[in-house]
Amino acid sequence: MCGIIAVLNKDNGANDITNVIIEALERLEYRGYDSSGIAYLDSINKTHRIRSVGRIEKLSNEVKSYALDKKAIVGIGHTRWATHGVVSVKNAHPHKTDGISIAHNGIIENYKELSSQFNINLESDTDSEVISQLIAKFMEDDLNFEESFKKTVSLLRGTYGIVAICEEEPNILIGAKKGSPLAIGYSVDQIYIASDAIALSSLSENVIYLQEGDIVVCKNNKYTIYDKDFKEVAREITNNIVSMKDITKCGLEDYMLKEIHEEPNVLLKTFENFENPVDIKKYKSLYLIACGTSHYAGLLAKYWIEDISGILVNVEIASEFRYRNPVLDKDSLYIFISQSGETIDTLCAMRNVIDRGFDTLSIVNVENSSIIRESKYKIRTHAGMEIGVASTKAFISQALTLLLLILEKNKIPTHKIAESMQSVIDMSDFFEDMAQKIRNSRTIIYMGRGTSYPISLEGALKMKEITYVSSEGCPAGEIKHGPIALIDTDVYAVILAPHDRYYEKTISNAQEIIARNGRILTIGSGRIQNHDSIEINNTGDIGNPFVLTTAVHMLAYYTAKSKGLDVDKPRNLAKSVTVE
Ligand code: F6R
């Protein structure tokens, strides 16, 4: 979703900061955005603002062609993912009112109330603009920039990560965080505020994550943090663990391909680093709560956990769970799964459970994220930084982590599974050919039984989000109850059929598709005459889902490539979904 970077030159900072902002915005591209902008003050305290719809490259070219005759000394940059107001230059951030410029992530729920209460006419269609309007208004009432900012923040309802600069007080940069991440960094000659440690990589060796309600004021070469009651506080300084290796493509064409290639290694790394913080066998039942791909990891784990341990597992979509008033059991463990650790629905669902005093465990990939910080028990998955908007390797680490909660390590043949995943990656030629055949399908239906069913959902999600081809996942036994009506010569069915206890039944379902002129790709075991198939090594009920996952990720990737699409930044999507 939206990204923020703000830079303040210290006294000794002689550099023009526009390049620093643009480069950081490029590193934030992976979060997903539709427009971007930059506002900065020059050495005679004049604001310059450039905003653009589309890629950062366009903004960068506009900034380069902008005749800057004075050095930029403090500035803010933003990538916007539209929520309130269409994608347009007018709605892009930074918003500017008089000499105040702000960038905002999140949603201000009471912006309409505030606008009418303070007689504000918004120029844009956004909720965010009310922030610059209010700060400017309070400065007219003789408050200084810092006081006006604090007063404004105290009136806001909703979620925010905000940065602001002001012409009248050009040596100050201010930020505030509630429900949307914000971190501080610093170097010898600059101080930074960003929504993401990746924006600060190569700028700051350390990061300081703000906590809920914190405000940071950067001036006089230092930063000061205030908590929600405006009391000065110290927050932990941590190493910025985002390395250049994390943010390069390692010679491959796209981050998504690099991340699929990492899947076998992620499996091994997750296995080696796993430490169990909680004995789940002492709970009567488990709730697995998440969104999107992380939710599918939960669905997969339900098959394993119930089969292996007999513990009841409820799998819940976080956005439904948080509003549904669900019947909760105090003897259950509530497990929240999230790659980013910032998904607002998952975070709020977890807060509901914490408020009721029940035990929570989070399984999260991003260090120091809100979900991992706030849960009682925590496990970090070790997938490494995931930049492609479509989640791939994180699913592998989430699934294995959930399995390790219940199964002894010596029962998981990780090396054999990783080798089988690697053999799938080595068959890229097959997937390239296959992509040509399926890319123009009207619909692609993925089907599987047992543990292959959640993988069919994952395959369909990945396919639709990066190729824009309508795709759905379906339990193979269900197709007769509706989806079979879709079948004709323009439809491809991807049958996930490893050699497991469901094999014969799944293949019978495939025959039903063939009988209706549907086209078939079988991934698993055996082949159906005159139809496409790819064999995977059988690694049993534990291993097959991992290998099938790599296969469906490869299929989606090469199909999107064959359509010439940007796989890392699919349209309308964001990496970290911090708004509802
Ligand atoms: C799909 C995808 C999304 C995420 C979902 C949850 O490829 O990436 O469906 O899985 O937005 O995100 P996290 O796991 O960060 O909570």
Side-chain angles (χ1 to χ4, degrees):
M1 296 233 132
C2 310
I4 286 178
I5 175 72
V7 185
L8 172 69
N9 265 347
K10 292 182 181 171
D11 291 346
N12 54 345
N15 299 332
D16 174 80
I17 58 162
T18 48
N19 278 348
V20 180
I21 293 179
I22 293 289
E23 281 167 21
L25 288 179
E26 281 165 355
R27 289 194 290 278
L28 286 171
E29 280 193 290
Y30 83 102
R31 290 172 70 100
Y33 67 101
D34 40 52
S35 49
S36 57
I38 165 169
Y40 56 86
L41 299 177
D42 65 18
S43 47
I44 54 161
N45 309 342
K46 184 169 167 243
T47 306
H48 303 262
R49 182 167 63 141
I50 302 152
R51 297 177 295 170
S52 166
V53 166
R55 293 282 182 235
I56 300 293
E57 202 184 340
K58 196 162 153 245
L59 177 75
S60 169
N61 289 336
E62 285 176 33
V63 171
K64 275 183 205 139
S65 61
Y66 187 83
L68 176 68
D69 54 359
K70 300 273 185 308
K71 192 178 67 171
I73 50 158
V74 59
I76 59 184
H78 189 259
T79 50
R80 173 175 190 248
W81 188 87
T83 55
H84 289 64
V86 296
V87 178
S88 66
V89 169
K90 178 179 81 169
N91 290 334
H93 299 217
H95 291 287
K96 178 173 174 295
T97 310
D98 302 332
I100 307 293
S101 302
I102 67 103
H104 164 234
N105 287 356
I107 292 182
I108 305 303
E109 288 167 1
N110 59 340
Y111 78 104
K112 284 195 175 141
E113 282 161 58
L114 290 170
S115 302
S116 69
Q117 186 184 341
F118 290 94
N119 221 358
I120 289 170
N121 283 323
L122 296 174
E123 283 169 21
S124 70
D125 311 315
T126 68
D127 53 329
S128 309
E129 191 198 328
V130 78
I131 301 169
S132 57
Q133 292 275 2
L134 284 173
I135 300 173
K137 202 161 220 39
F138 298 143
M139 286 188 76
E140 274 173 21
D141 298 343
D142 270 357
L143 294 185
N144 68 24
F145 177 37
E146 188 177 328
E147 289 161 347
S148 302
F149 184 91
K150 285 179 177 167
K151 182 165 175 185
T152 300
V153 161
S154 70
L155 296 171
L156 303 178
R157 206 172 60 232
T159 55
Y160 52 78
I162 307 168
V163 289
I165 53 173
C166 165
E167 279 179 6
E168 270 180 42
E169 298 177 56
N171 298 318
I172 307 186
L173 167 66
I174 309 189
K177 175 225 150 71
K178 189 176 150 228
S180 204
L182 218 53
I184 307 162
Y186 50 84
S187 63
V188 182
D189 48 15
Q190 282 166 342
I191 303 180
Y192 314 97
I193 305 177
S195 53
D196 193 321
I198 198 169
L200 300 177
S201 66
S202 79
L203 293 175
S204 177
E205 281 177 18
N206 296 317
V207 278
I208 301 99
Y209 290 94
L210 294 185
Q211 293 187 12
E212 288 301 90
D214 281 356
I215 290 178
V216 57
V217 179
C218 311
K219 64 179 173 189
N220 300 334
N221 301 329
K222 63 179 180 105
Y223 64 87
T224 311
I225 304 175
Y226 301 90
D227 69 9
K228 59 182 184 331
D229 303 316
F230 304 135
K231 253 191 23 232
E232 195 174 326
V233 281
R235 300 289 182 220
E236 193 188 354
I237 301 177
T238 55
N239 283 340
N240 189 358
I241 53 166
V242 179
S243 68
M244 281 319 279
K245 184 170 171 286
D246 284 323
I247 57 174
T248 55
K249 294 180 191 159
C250 295
L252 292 163
E253 231 177 292
D254 303 280
Y255 285 114
M256 183 176 174
L257 186 61
K258 174 196 169 204
E259 287 158 9
I260 298 171
H261 278 225
E262 286 171 345
E263 287 183 358
N265 205 31
V266 163
L267 185 91
L268 299 175
K269 220 169 131 198
T270 304
F271 184 83
E272 277 158 28
N273 287 293
F274 178 78
E275 278 173 36
N276 198 344
V278 54
D279 177 11
I280 68 164
K281 293 197 182 111
K282 72 179 191 204
Y283 293 96
K284 207 165 86 193
S285 66
L286 306 177
Y287 283 78
L288 305 182
I289 303 156
C291 300
T293 283
S294 301
H295 171 245
Y296 297 152
L299 276 181
L300 170 59
K302 176 180 168 76
Y303 284 85
W304 283 327
I305 297 174
E306 290 191 343
D307 188 29
I308 296 166
S309 70
I311 300 176
L312 173 69
V313 179
N314 307 289
V315 188
E316 299 273 359
I317 292 176
S319 55
E320 290 297 313
F321 178 86
R322 64 178 284 209
Y323 290 117
R324 204 188 66 222
N325 194 15
V327 177
L328 301 185
D329 178 357
K330 69 174 172 27
D331 297 322
S332 297
L333 177 65
Y334 296 83
I335 303 179
F336 296 85
I337 312 157
S338 175
Q339 188 287 127
S340 62
E342 298 294 347
T343 301
I344 196 78
D345 284 319
T346 310
L347 176 62
C348 291
M350 189 177 83
R351 286 179 179 159
N352 290 351
V353 172
I354 292 173
D355 286 347
R356 294 178 66 171
F358 302 153
D359 283 357
T360 55
L361 163 68
S362 65
I363 297 177
V364 171
N365 195 40
V366 176
E367 173 109 61
N368 236 308
S369 53
S370 306
I371 294 177
I372 205 155
R373 271 204 317 267
E374 294 183 29
S375 62
K376 176 169 180 183
Y377 302 110
K378 327 162 186 280
I379 303 179
R380 260 208 68 212
T381 49
H382 290 272
M385 184 117 213
E386 193 178 69
I387 292 182
V389 163
S391 188
T392 51
K393 60 179 180 169
F395 177 86
I396 299 290
S397 63
Q398 292 167 339
L400 182 61
T401 302
L402 287 159
L403 178 64
L404 283 161
L405 288 175
I406 206 70
L407 192 61
E408 297 86 23
K409 277 190 160 179
N410 61 12
K411 298 209 171 121
I412 309 177
T414 36
H415 284 281
K416 204 169 145 213
I417 302 168
E419 275 163 28
S420 303
M421 291 162 82
Q422 187 57 49
S423 342
V424 169
I425 292 167
D426 294 341
M427 288 188 269
S428 56
D429 289 351
F430 170 84
F431 291 102
E432 267 180 289
D433 290 348
M434 209 50 235
Q436 294 301 327
K437 296 185 184 176
I438 66 170
R439 58 193 288 258
N440 293 321
S441 307
R442 190 183 71 244
T443 302
I444 304 176
I445 302 183
Y446 288 72
M447 312 191 300
R449 285 173 181 255
T451 53
S452 301
Y453 162 52
I455 310 305
S456 75
L457 294 171
E458 167 61 6
L461 177 64
K462 224 86 315 173
M463 182 62 83
K464 78 180 82 155
E465 66 179 326
I466 63 168
T467 67
Y468 318 138
V469 176
S470 149
S471 314
E472 63 176 278
C474 177
E478 268 291 300
I479 67 146
K480 285 197 277 303
H481 301 283
I484 203 162
L486 292 171
I487 302 300
D488 62 23
T489 48
D490 289 337
V491 173
Y492 238 99
V494 178
I495 315 286
L496 305 182
H499 212 281
D500 58 15
R501 65 188 124 145
Y502 308 104
Y503 179 69
E504 309 282 330
K505 289 194 189 305
T506 310
I507 292 300
S508 301
N509 296 130
Q511 294 295 355
E512 291 159 3
I513 307 269
I514 293 169
R516 284 154 187 88
N517 298 322
R519 293 172 301 160
I520 295 275
L521 162 65
T522 318
I523 305 181
S525 191
R527 84 173 259 123
I528 298 178
Q529 224 188 353
N530 300 327
H531 285 271
D532 296 298
S533 65
I534 181 165
E535 291 261 353
I536 60 162
N537 300 334
N538 184 8
T539 48
D541 282 353
I542 298 297
N544 288 333
F546 293 105
V547 188
L548 289 175
T549 300
T550 302
V552 295
H553 287 169
M554 291 283 281
L555 185 63
Y557 172 82
Y558 282 104
T559 308
K561 287 306 277 186
S562 77
K563 294 175 81 114
L565 296 169
D566 184 343
V567 289
D568 286 337
K569 299 180 209 93
R571 69 184 180 202
N572 303 338
L573 291 174
K575 184 68 185 158
S576 170
V577 183
T578 48
V579 293
E580 291 180 43

